[in-house]
Amino acid sequence: MMTAIADHDSIRAVQWCGDCLRLLDQRRLPAEESWLECRSAQHVRDAIADLVVRGAPAIGIAAAWGVVLAAQAGEDMPSVLRDLRAARPTAVNLMWALDRMSTCIEAGADVQALTREAQAIQDEDLAANHRMGKLGSALIDRSSGVLTHCNTGSLATSGFGTALGVIRAGVAAGRIERVFAGETRPWLQGARLTMWELVRDGIPAKLIADSAAAHLMRGGQVQWVIIGADRIAANGDVANKIGSYALAIAARHHGVKFMVVAPSTTVDMATARGEDIEIELRDPKELLAIAGVRTVVDGASAWNPVFDVTPASLIDAIVTECGVIERPDAEGMRAMFPAP
């Protein structure tokens, strides 16, 4: 049965209040809906680094508002831009948003003009998400099951979401019958955040352990894996949350299609291939504890890359607001995103 898309779109996690940026603290979900008020660019930078706000589009939007806060305070803008860029190096949306704000600064923009630019970045992202939802859901046959990874919804964007936006649109159109979410260790974004969004917006879904994905696919319950992206290289390789590559391998083995959904701001045509993408390594302690409680014996060490790279050869479709690239490769990417 078809439902209105608006029925599945109620969350706005990044909110500008004129003199501060309110962020729904994603570290505390789902147990507590707590808002953090950022009143300086440094506060925004820390919120990005500490995962108060996460998801490539939301990071870029938050950083743009950080620039506005710095301008209101009369701070040294080159220093502010440098510090914000360093917060999460893999997310190209962060660099794109800061480049856009920097261009305005170089053109002599005042605080009001920078405010308008940051608001435009946020508004354009929301419109792009709805466009991607429509394009991506059109690829899905009726009565399909889908599996998603990490969190790619309203919490990770201005609203609606990228991969989760496709799922929202697909459910509303009656195309998606079954939704599964992987838990996504070590921060459990799928368990804590994606399931919170789905339950809040009335979309039935089942949580699975990350290691159950291949078994689920083998049983025929899933026809599409749908993920987001933190950076897409010029040849169609995609950097996304750690575990995405393993899902792509399992999907190809089981005849399950694999979709990447991300705004055009995530496409980095200056990076030739996935091997050239800087992969962020986070504190090994994140793997050694859950919610601050250590679960691994003292003296143990860990390796904690936060992203991996899925080669274009394992991807059936890349969906952006500009259109769909099926079986992506360098030629298809150039056709959709020609050099300026």
Side-chain angles (χ1 to χ4, degrees):
M1 181 179 66
M2 294 182 64
T3 59
I5 286 179
D7 293 341
H8 306 306
D9 181 25
S10 65
I11 301 162
R12 297 294 180 267
V14 180
Q15 300 180 2
W16 176 247
C17 300
D19 61 351
C20 73
L21 181 65
R22 295 182 76 235
L23 299 173
L24 183 58
D25 192 340
Q26 299 186 34
R27 301 168 303 179
R28 298 181 179 275
L29 290 172
E32 178 185 344
E33 294 183 26
S34 174
W35 291 84
L36 183 71
E37 292 189 354
C38 298
R39 297 187 177 275
S40 70
Q42 182 61 47
H43 201 176
V44 173
R45 190 262 180 216
D46 291 344
I48 293 171
D50 294 342
L51 303 183
V52 172
V53 59
R54 43 139 301 280
I59 288 170
I61 293 164
W65 288 119
V67 172
V68 174
L69 287 170
Q72 289 179 340
E75 295 183 45
D76 177 64
M77 298 310 285
S79 176
V80 167
L81 290 165
R82 184 173 58 253
D83 288 346
L84 286 168
R85 286 180 193 279
R88 296 295 302 276
T90 302
V92 71
N93 302 64
L94 173 62
M95 314 311 167
W96 172 86
L98 291 173
D99 285 346
R100 186 162 160 177
M101 298 299 286
S102 181
T103 297
C104 289
I105 293 168
E106 291 169 2
D110 58 12
V111 173
Q112 289 72 28
L114 290 173
T115 300
R116 289 193 296 271
E117 190 71 6
Q119 188 64 58
I121 289 171
Q122 185 158 354
D123 293 345
E124 290 165 15
D125 181 69
L126 183 59
N129 291 344
H130 281 278
R131 171 69 173 161
M132 289 184 287
K134 181 178 180 180
L135 291 172
S137 64
L139 301 175
I140 301 171
D141 292 335
R142 290 192 174 276
S143 301
S144 289
V146 301
L147 168 64
T148 192
H149 186 59
C150 196
N151 174 263
T152 58
S154 299
L155 293 171
T157 64
S158 60
F160 199 61
T162 55
L164 205 55
V166 168
I167 293 172
R168 283 186 162 105
V171 169
R175 292 179 177 272
I176 295 175
E177 192 172 89
R178 299 173 302 281
V179 179
F180 299 91
E183 59 184 346
T184 322
R185 280 283 289 146
W187 272 83
L188 297 172
Q189 293 99 325
R192 295 188 303 104
L193 306 180
T194 295
M195 291 300 295
W196 179 80
E197 286 201 39
L198 292 169
V199 168
R200 183 181 176 114
D201 279 351
I203 298 175
K206 286 186 170 65
L207 179 70
I208 66 167
D210 292 338
S211 52
H215 181 62
L216 178 70
M217 294 178 199
R218 186 179 184 182
Q221 292 296 300
V222 172
Q223 283 66 54
W224 281 92
V225 175
I226 309 177
I227 68 166
D230 286 82
R231 186 175 298 221
I232 302 174
N235 69 343
D237 292 349
V238 170
N240 192 56
K241 181 59 59 183
I242 192 73
S244 300
Y245 180 31
L247 288 175
I249 293 170
R252 181 57 54 93
H253 179 76
H254 292 97
V256 173
K257 293 185 176 180
F258 195 89
M259 184 191 305
V260 175
V261 188
S264 59
T265 53
T266 305
V267 174
D268 182 8
M269 295 301 287
T271 296
R273 55 183 187 164
E275 290 89 337
D276 300 326
I277 297 173
E278 179 184 358
I279 299 299
E280 178 185 354
L281 291 175
R282 291 185 63 83
D283 192 335
K285 293 178 182 177
E286 294 177 352
L287 280 176
L288 302 175
I290 296 177
V293 178
R294 190 175 179 94
T295 58
V296 181
V297 64
D298 289 342
S301 60
W303 178 57
N304 189 22
V306 71
F307 303 104
D308 57 26
V309 174
T310 299
S313 60
L314 295 177
I315 298 170
D316 291 284
I318 292 177
V319 178
T320 77
E321 79 279 12
C322 300
V324 177
I325 305 172
E326 297 191 65
R327 295 176 295 281
D329 57 16
E331 182 178 355
M333 293 293 293
R334 284 195 301 271
M336 184 69 71
F337 303 103

